[in-house]
Amino acid sequence: MTPKIKLEIVTPDALTYSEDVDMVTLPAQEGEMGIYPNHVPLMTQLVAGEIMVLKGGRSEYLAVG
């Protein structure tokens, strides 16, 4: 079984997304970054843009602001 990432997106109001995913691309202050399973722990500031989630060979897109 291939490793997964537990991706959770939390707002001040609620947990809005919680899935096991294969990979995620985030819009960070330093530029776009891809995160794969077993990535080194990282803390960074996100900027407004699009999150791309790869799950089961399909891409899902989410907006962050």
Side-chain angles (χ1 to χ4, degrees), residues 22-61:
D22 301 313
M23 184 258 191
V24 61
T25 302
L26 304 166
Q29 191 169 19
E30 299 82 20
E32 190 174 87
M33 55 178 43
I35 309 293
Y36 289 89
N38 301 317
H39 192 281
V40 64
L42 164 75
M43 183 177 288
T44 188
Q45 184 174 351
L46 298 182
V47 296
E50 195 172 67
I51 294 175
M52 191 277 297
V53 176
L54 185 61
K55 185 173 113 182
R58 297 187 61 200
S59 297
E60 298 177 15
Y61 294 88

